[in-house]
Structure formats: C-alpha cells, structure tokens
Amino acid sequence: MIKYHPSEQILQSYVQGELCASLSVAVSMHIDMCPQCQRLAHQFETSCAHSFIGEESDPQNEDSWDDLIAQITKDALFDERPAPAPLEIEVKGEQFVLPSSLHNVGLSGWLKLGKLSRSRLDLGDGKLHASLLHIEKGGSVPQHTHKGFELTLLLSGEFKDEMDNYVPGDFIMLDGEHEHSPVATESCLCFTLADDALHFSQGLSQLFNPIGKLIY
Ligand SMILES: [Zn+2]
C-alpha cells in the first residue's frame, strides 16, 4: 500500500498550476497511481473552481453556465482523442511501461554503473535534474544525505532504506535532514528529482563520487 504522498501544499500548488514542470510531472504520476490523492486533488480542483466563478451563483446563472458548457463541448474540435500508446523502455533486459505523463518527454541514453542505470529526462528545469533510475535487485546506493532535496517516486519494484520499505507510487521527499542507503529488494524503476549533488556520509566518500554523478 502507498504510504508516502505529496503534502497537501504540493497538491494544492499542483492543482493551481504553480509547480515547476518536473515536480508537476512527479505529482501527476503519483496521482495516477494513488486513489487517495486523486480524490484530494479533485476536491482542490472543485474548491478552486468555486472560488474562481464565485460561490453564490444563482440557479438561473447555473443554467446558463450548463448551456455554455454544452455548447462548447458539442463542438467537433473537442472530440476525445485516443489515449497515447504505452511507451515501453528496456533496461538491462527488463521491460517497463512508462506513465503517460512521460510520453512526450525526451529521454537520454542509459549511463550504467554496476547495478545502477540512469537516464536523464529532458524537462528543461535548469538546475533541477530529473532522471529515471533503474536499480537491479540487490543493488544499493551508499549512505548519503542531500545538500538540497531529493524526490524519489517509485514507479516499479521495491526498495528499502533505514526508514521504511517502499512500494510503487510512494512519493519520497528527502532533504539534508535525512540520511539513508537505499537497497533494491526487487529490481526497481524510479523517477528521481534532485536540485543538488548527493553528499556521501560514509568514510572514503570520494570513492562514491561516480555514483553521486550518476544519480544526481
Ligand atoms: Zn497519494
């Protein structure tokens, strides 16, 4: 069961269109996987719409509003388009279907280091780096913390760290307060977002720099 969700503040900013592209994509993917946040986002949308059109519309106005919507939606231009075909990727011989939010996002080739593979997502968010990270079963990231923040949205598989076990849909937001060393208990595909390099907290941390560069 999904235990980690975006905060209400993030969901509200998402509904109001205030998030940067990469965070917005992450929240959208989480909402697709999480009935609880689907309901909450729908409530926020409804209250946003109410405050936009005014709470105290009289029934007569509501009728003309319905008429207006009916006129707009009968236009052939608004016919539903078919859903985009699932976009499949292959990493280390495994197939994954990507969430629809990523279907039109550019993906770099895969950089591989041991059991870790990373592909950069082209979301054009400056110093925010968005990536797909694949960790083979048993693969791990040495203990580290973050100078900025690190968001991990688990898309497939399972991993654990000192704090918990995670399942697909978990939206894990960490910062400099957290120190962890994730281990893939099943082969994993994650969406990751970071705004600064990792800081390895074990001895001989320079040995882990290639991993830091791969992940950030
Ligand atoms: Zn949720």
Side-chain angles (χ1 to χ4, degrees):
M1 201 181 77
I2 297 176
K3 280 187 277 185
Y4 295 88
H5 308 267
S7 65
E8 289 203 2
Q9 193 192 350
I10 288 182
L11 268 185
Q12 250 168 348
S13 302
Y14 168 78
V15 164
Q16 287 164 353
E18 292 167 355
L19 295 181
C20 61
S22 27
L23 202 48
S24 189
V25 160
V27 173
S28 155
M29 287 190 285
H30 173 81
I31 287 176
D32 282 346
M33 300 166 91
C34 176
Q36 182 182 324
C37 288
Q38 266 165 40
R39 280 194 296 276
L40 208 50
H42 184 67
Q43 282 171 20
F44 291 149
E45 278 164 9
T46 308
S47 68
C48 262
H50 279 159
S51 57
F52 181 68
I53 59 174
E55 294 281 357
E56 295 181 16
S57 53
D58 62 44
Q60 215 179 344
N61 274 346
E62 272 177 24
D63 284 348
S64 52
W65 181 257
D66 288 346
D67 285 348
L68 183 64
I69 297 293
Q71 278 178 39
I72 293 169
T73 52
K74 80 173 186 197
D75 193 318
L77 283 173
F78 288 84
D79 277 351
E80 264 184 45
R81 285 184 298 166
L87 183 66
E88 277 196 31
I89 55 166
E90 189 187 313
V91 199
K92 299 245 173 117
E94 275 188 89
Q95 304 284 336
F96 297 94
V97 176
L98 290 184
S100 56
S101 314
L102 295 180
H103 283 192
N104 294 313
V105 178
L107 207 57
S108 76
W110 291 87
L111 265 180
K112 294 174 184 167
L113 190 69
K115 293 190 172 198
L116 305 177
S117 309
R118 183 263 279 160
S119 171
R120 190 77 82 205
L121 290 159
D122 182 16
L123 286 162
D125 256 346
K127 84 183 202 110
L128 272 179
H129 288 180
S131 310
L132 286 177
L133 181 68
H134 177 264
I135 312 176
E136 275 178 73
K137 184 174 179 174
S140 63
V141 181
Q143 191 163 57
H144 64 277
T145 182
H146 306 274
K147 287 189 224 158
F149 77 90
E150 175 197 67
L151 166 68
T152 305
L153 174 65
L154 183 52
L155 298 173
S156 172
E158 287 184 20
F159 77 89
K160 64 174 184 179
D161 65 12
E162 292 80 346
M163 294 169 271
D164 217 333
N165 293 297
Y166 305 97
V167 297
D170 272 329
F171 186 99
I172 308 143
M173 190 72 117
L174 300 176
D175 60 24
E177 301 279 295
H178 306 93
E179 191 169 295
H180 71 155
S181 51
V183 180
T185 44
E186 293 296 331
S187 163
C188 287
L189 186 70
C190 306
F191 172 90
T192 65
L193 188 59
D195 67 344
D196 210 333
L198 276 70
H199 176 70
F200 292 105
S201 33
Q202 287 175 334
L204 301 175
S205 62
Q206 68 271 26
L207 290 180
F208 300 129
N209 278 343
I211 296 178
K213 287 199 182 96
L214 182 87
I215 290 173
Y216 166 51

